[in-house]
Amino acid sequence: MKKIVLISTYPYIHAYGLRMISSVLKSQGYEIKLLFLNAPFGELYSPKVLEEAIELSRNSLFVGVSLMTNFFERAKQVTQALKTRLEIPIIWGGIHTAIKPHRCLEYADAICIGEGEETIRTFANALTTSKDFSNIPNIWFKKDGKIIENKICPMEDNIKDLPFPDYEYNNHFVIDNSGLSQMNAKNMEQYMGYEYQTMVTRGCFYKCSYCANNFFENNYESKNARK
């Protein structure tokens, strides 16, 4: 079984999108480790956390890092730490990769632009078989100093066929007492309380100028809009 490590850079452990990605990869038979690097907002990671993230990522097929703009420096920090010790492809995903793709590719080996469920499944299977991900839609990467921009797929409006997010915490890790600890029922309750996030639709009815939804609405076609 191939191991894949997914890293959340957010200061909370909900990370709904990354949990969805984890479920998709598990359905394909991959062993997933989810690292919630939930340091307080505005803080970077300690050397101990970075060292433990490196050890947990060893022998992975690839490492996926999820980020928003607020957490760019965290993604950059953990990526640089991983690259000093491991020769593993690192792919970034999340809102910031769509908004600033070229900036993200200064650090990541590849980025996923747009929705990631189908893309990451195809990416993982490509690395498992041919090692070639050069023609996968939604994947951008740098080759010989040039950025390869594959086509962007329309956004998915119908989410009924997607799996539920991954809340099986046996292979989840969280920052606890300054280091990374394996999650258990106690710290799951500590960090999430009695909340269980779910999603009944995607997108937003509004186009607030300050919000990322405005960017996606103006730059990405939906599958329903194409029909």
Side-chain angles (χ1 to χ4, degrees), residues 143-163:
K143 182 178 181 181
D144 300 326
K146 179 182 178 181
I147 293 178
I148 309 300
E149 303 178 2
N150 287 319
K151 70 175 183 177
I152 307 299
C153 295
M155 305 292 277
E156 180 62 68
D157 296 303
N158 186 357
I159 62 173
K160 68 179 181 62
D161 294 327
L162 296 177

Side-chain angles (χ1 to χ4, degrees), residues 4-15:
I4 295 171
V5 171
L6 302 176
I7 295 177
S8 166
T9 58
Y10 312 131
Y12 41 81
I13 68 167
H14 294 87

Side-chain angles (χ1 to χ4, degrees), residues 1 62-64 92 96 113-114 122 139 158-159 167 174 181 205:
M1 181 182 292
F62 69 87
V63 174
W92 285 13
H96 194 65
I113 297 183
T122 307
I139 295 291
N158 186 357
I159 62 173
Y167 286 102
V174 65
S181 300
F205 295 110

Side-chain angles (χ1 to χ4, degrees), residues 117-176:
E117 288 88 3
E118 177 63 22
T119 302
I120 207 68
R121 181 192 68 80
T122 307
F123 181 81
N125 291 342
L127 287 181
T128 301
T129 54
S130 66
K131 308 295 183 185
D132 180 18
F133 56 83
S134 59
N135 295 312
I136 299 175
N138 287 3
I139 295 291
W140 289 17
F141 62 98
K142 187 179 289 186
K143 182 178 181 181
D144 300 326
K146 179 182 178 181
I147 293 178
I148 309 300
E149 303 178 2
N150 287 319
K151 70 175 183 177
I152 307 299
C153 295
M155 305 292 277
E156 180 62 68
D157 296 303
N158 186 357
I159 62 173
K160 68 179 181 62
D161 294 327
L162 296 177
F164 288 106
D166 177 14
Y167 286 102
E168 297 177 350
Y169 50 75
N170 292 335
N171 283 319
H172 296 180
F173 296 81
V174 65
I175 295 178
D176 191 15

Side-chain angles (χ1 to χ4, degrees), residues 50-61:
L50 293 173
E51 179 65 28
E52 290 171 345
I54 290 169
E55 292 306 313
L56 286 168
S57 299
R58 287 192 184 278
N59 303 314
S60 299
L61 180 65

